Amino acid sequence: MLTREIQHLPDFIYPIDEWRLVEKRFYPRLLPNMETLFSTANGFLGIRGCHEEGSPVYQSGTLINGLHETWPIVYGEKAFGFAKTGQTIVNAPDGKIIRLYVDDEPFDLSKVKLLDYQRVLDMRTGTLDRHAVWEKFSGKQIRITSRRLVSFVHRHIAAIVYEVTLLNADAPIVLSSELASVQETQAPGADPRSNRTLDGTVLLAQSNYSRDYRIVQSYRTRSSGMTLACGIDHVLETQCLHSDQCCSDDGFGRVLFSINGQQGKTIRLIKFMTYHVSRSVPAAELCERSDRALDRVVGHGFETLLEEQRQYLDDFWELADIQVGGDLATQQVIRFNLFHICQASARAESVGIPAKGLTGTGYEGQYFWDTEIYVLPFLIYTAPRIARNLLLFRYRMLEKARMRAREVNQRGALFPWRTINGDEASAYYAAGTAQYHINADIIYAMRKYVEVTGDREFLYGEGAEMLIETARLWTDLGFFSFKKGGHFCLNCVTGPDEYNTVVDNNAYTNLMARENLWFAAETLEWLREHKSDRYSVLVHETQLRQEEIDEWKRAADSMYVPYDENAGIHLQDENFLNKRAWDFSTTPAEKYPLLLHFHPLVIYRHQVIKQADIVLAMFLLGDKFSLEQKRRNFDFYDPLTTGDSSLSVSIQSIVAFELGYFDKAREYMRYALMMDLADLAANVDQGCHIASMGGTWMAMVYGAAGMRDYKGKLSFNPRLGRGMQRLQFSLIIRGQRLSVEIDQEKNETTYLLKEGAGLVIIHQREEVLLTANVPVTVAIKEPYAPPPEQ
Amino acid sequence: MLTREIQHLPDFIYPIDEWRLVEKRFYPRLLPNMETLFSTANGFLGIRGCHEEGSPVYQSGTLINGLHETWPIVYGEKAFGFAKTGQTIVNAPDGKIIRLYVDDEPFDLSKVKLLDYQRVLDMRTGTLDRHAVWEKFSGKQIRITSRRLVSFVHRHIAAIVYEVTLLNADAPIVLSSELASVQETQAPGADPRSNRTLDGTVLLAQSNYSRDYRIVQSYRTRSSGMTLACGIDHVLETQCLHSDQCCSDDGFGRVLFSINGQQGKTIRLIKFMTYHVSRSVPAAELCERSDRALDRVVGHGFETLLEEQRQYLDDFWELADIQVGGDLATQQVIRFNLFHICQASARAESVGIPAKGLTGTGYEGQYFWDTEIYVLPFLIYTAPRIARNLLLFRYRMLEKARMRAREVNQRGALFPWRTINGDEASAYYAAGTAQYHINADIIYAMRKYVEVTGDREFLYGEGAEMLIETARLWTDLGFFSFKKGGHFCLNCVTGPDEYNTVVDNNAYTNLMARENLWFAAETLEWLREHKSDRYSVLVHETQLRQEEIDEWKRAADSMYVPYDENAGIHLQDENFLNKRAWDFSTTPAEKYPLLLHFHPLVIYRHQVIKQADIVLAMFLLGDKFSLEQKRRNFDFYDPLTTGDSSLSVSIQSIVAFELGYFDKAREYMRYALMMDLADLAANVDQGCHIASMGGTWMAMVYGAAGMRDYKGKLSFNPRLGRGMQRLQFSLIIRGQRLSVEIDQEKNETTYLLKEGAGLVIIHQREEVLLTANVPVTVAIKEPYAPPPEQ
């Protein structure tokens, strides 16, 4: 169900451009949203698209992945095992501020007369460029341009070139370049999806110094004890009349340039910023790192940064780009989405991907299952090294996941539903701790990574240990139910659909847990049978017993999968059909998302779904359902799905494609594509929906191109449907690069293995053998679905 | 299941006495518990049994029923419709403090040498009496006696007589009588059953004055805006050398008496205290009321208070007393329990009965269903006027209950699960808002009140309006389920058992809701058919439509009652049998109550029960079950019931009696009786369990005497079982007073109608016609159970 109309950005202000997001007019009404959409980031450091002058601003944000404050979660009524420590991303000191004064009058976009204005997020150069011409009351005209980047190559570096040109008169110019702590003062809202406002000062200034246009400051977070160093440095390519710099103990630093501006002579200030954070390194050492990082980039200059940025993105697009024929708007938004995933993940090393990337503080900067289920597929196929890092990050969380399992009286490990530092931060267990499926989601992603990349080292190393502990959790959590004919049941769990919580035998959870168990058993048995040293190590380290593996298999083999014979459908959960129907006809559009308008008990009592649940299972584990079964399930569940979660429509699109519901599939896809650019979730001011963006890649590749990769075996079943003429994308499979190009008009698909020894894929029913650099073009026949796995 | 051994109070310190609670030695180890048990209260005002000298003290408590502070409930994750305002009873200024200094040395029981000590809570005089002899290092001996009462007759008044006698020497004596604000500083614990600590000063001093040994102070609560006036006044029956008094703007007042103490001459200080509270009356006016109240009682003197107190209690015991033959310990504890109900309810006018009465701040001084289901039966049969007040108090809450229903998207009215001011204060909806059965519980109690008292004026007045709105809630909440053969189902509710929350079709809830609906339909139809003006008024005021009444009947007639044919048992909830069995054999005693040791999801996932649920339904609605059915249900559910709630064992006892499980019945009864005196819930320091105390009356009357009162028709089926020789109690039925005396040895029961025109009761199978003052003795035959209602 689509509860909102897509309202495109007005194109006389935001003209469509396939490689750029363009803003042709200063448009304050959309300022909060545009700060998000114009964000520049590299997965480690993100800067919201706020203007350099610091005003007007909705929410200034300089976000460092993983830099968080902790706070004790307060419950109205506490109970045993409730998560104790909340975690919230901290706004780092704002280093991008460059205030401009001409004749001592400040340049503030919202107050001045603009003769010209344009802002561009360029997805090939990786820069945010702004151009403006300001006319003062005196008639003096000033051209201001700025170019900003957060370097993909230098993880800790961002830079700005800020140019001022007096067009028709001389005037004294002052540039005040600042580095200032920002405390959010926004009041906590009623929307559980927004961030929490931290009370009081979080960043305690530690030390600072100022020298030769450079300022370095360090901080400690009050409660989580993280250290942070921030530095700014400047190159001014103009004679400076006078400069002044200061940094104060409360963490404010400024370098002030006074210049006798002359008509026609461009004043050019290059500002370099650097950020370092740590959970263990002392602040003083981080300051030294900042110094070194600044030395390095200042020495090479801004142009070098720019070239490296361009090169990085050329490489990125080479692998990641999706091309659609003709339709520029779609072309723009798919690239916009992929670019933002790149910005969220490129340098996410030893950290996860926050739900909003580094574009806003929504969802508190925390990591969810979003990464594994929605973003990793794209990364596995286009940037496997990043995918590996993210899985490694989960592995490093394993010890805390073991502790968390103990806290909730379980064996094995339970990964946190939401977290930054590895501790469970979900304060509402019904849509948190009860979402045990996070364990299986992580294993699912790990398996896909291994199957696609062939990285069995990871599988038998970190992977095997994760498999043991997650499998243990499942067998401890469930039981063989007499009432269910001895089947293995998982009660009191919450599946992906948060409108039905703490249910018995959620089909998604049971199916995904079954895969988790089978894969654990299979992997450990392989190691045992091959008498691998690794097996002995694992037995030693985890006290693994052979009987446990048997138990995993027994539980998986007997897993209960709720099904209603009369209706001929799988049950989202055992009692789903016993619920009351939701009266959609009397629910007006403004009552969505329901969670903001109805008590949870009211929602839980009804047959109403927030997001794809069994439909997601039919995509992820599509080989376990017949096409006919998929159709029956989809036909039943799709009309009940509000799509109140941004994670829903991409999945609905994929399954609709598979079922040949092309109109629906393309409508859902369009909705997924436009989620942020058209602000369909009405909260893009809080940040981009990175998972939904990952979902759009999946909708293209798994949906329109009909790719499936069960057990790592690639098949395609292209079905663009009406309106899409062409679809081209690349995939890396076990180091080999495959280009897929679907031509709807000619009704054919061309597969080209650009690198690699050879690859067998399946096009519809038929095997296609690909050898390097030999394109193979095959006709598209009627869409075909393989029979389900027995 | 009984998870703790009963540890009686050590009888060399607390010798058993059938009318008194005696403490023969100052015993600091039990000080926290004894402060609760020695509380004096009248239902409006309560003073914990702390010593007058203010030290040693565990938790000083001067509690006024309904005097509360409000605070915004903070949620880890908030959602729509969650209760917003917490309510916590406020510790009123402590007026009982009388500090004694002899030779300037303070008298502190925990530090001085005592030659003699005794403390007695006398349940006939309604006084707390203490006697002590103090020997100083100098050899000087001082006898100190005090007598304290909270007047049942004068709702706002408490008084203390404090006597000091120098036994063997002269000495200067100072008595410092104080009135001081107390802020609890106790840290909030992890136990959800304890109270919340309020931050900062709650009572803001308003005005004060001091004159002629009298001090009156007034306060305003910071957030809830209630007003409070407290006054103390003194009569000193000794020549006073010097007196000094002060009261400060921060709410501290003191009258200090300096006396040249002479050997053998008793110094006697009488202190009167008064408390007035209001939600609307200005503080200044409350001060005037305090003045007048003090004038009145000081004029009449302490002896008058004492006489009135004795008279009140004589009347109370005349109606309320239960006598058991021979067994002094049982005799003491049943009276102790009844006395504490009296103290919790006697003057509870325009307020409810807090879960802990006025003996402690546990459960934040809030009102629960405890009152209606556990305390009202006793009051209906022994103090119908008080019962009426309590129901009237609920009626006054109806408007807020209507608003609350709207807040959670429902029609009709939803009474708060926990409250002081009528607003829902439960911060955990799964064991709060979801306990919709509160609506039916209130109606059940109202119906019983009407049936036993014959007060149809209440039924057709306040009662009818409550019936309309509660019935509306039920029909709006539930639905006719296709999957359940068109039966009316109530999903996502929590029954009495809080170890199984948010379940579908909780049998207790469905059965109680059915009664609620039927009774609403019956009552409203009676009014309509009798063309009562009241009906027109109700139609006008509530927009009642005839179709609604039909809908209530249809819902009730089709109510789904979950039953398992194979097991032959009713299901506590629809899915109860699908749960995993709890492994009781590996759960050590110290892991109880489970809620303090297991995550809610772990508990919810298992077949484990906190408190009687379906067993409670089998008691309250016993005519809806056959004896055989009751046996099957009890046999199944009783072993799964931990009794982690103090509300459980009394009910288990009653049903065990009915089933002839006498050993079990008496063991449960003993456990219920000793709940507080033996601190079986391990938290009596937080206050007495008033509901459990009411449960002991029910265990005696409904359990041992086998009374049933379905539709107001009284029947008895005495079955004391071994060990209990005699049981005598009184009941008021429609203004007539019935005495019931069961003699186990003679195997006969004597019924005596002491007042009234005549009454027909059923003794076992047979009708017995009683006329005034003619005792009828009948033999006890084999226990008999009537067949269930068709």
Side-chain angles (χ1 to χ4, degrees), chain A residues 736-753:
Chain A
Q736 307 177 97
R737 198 166 138 220
L738 171 68
S739 157
V740 179
E741 184 172 355
I742 303 162
D743 188 318
Q744 174 77 352
E745 209 166 312
K746 296 186 187 162
N747 209 31
E748 60 186 29
T749 307
T750 303
Y751 299 95
L752 170 58
L753 196 63

Side-chain angles (χ1 to χ4, degrees), chain B residues 294-311:
Chain B
L294 286 172
D295 287 347
R296 206 155 43 228
V297 292
V298 173
H300 289 102
F302 186 81
E303 295 309 315
T304 307
L305 283 179
L306 207 59
E307 279 161 32
E308 291 167 337
Q309 187 86 338
R310 174 82 198 211
Q311 186 56 52

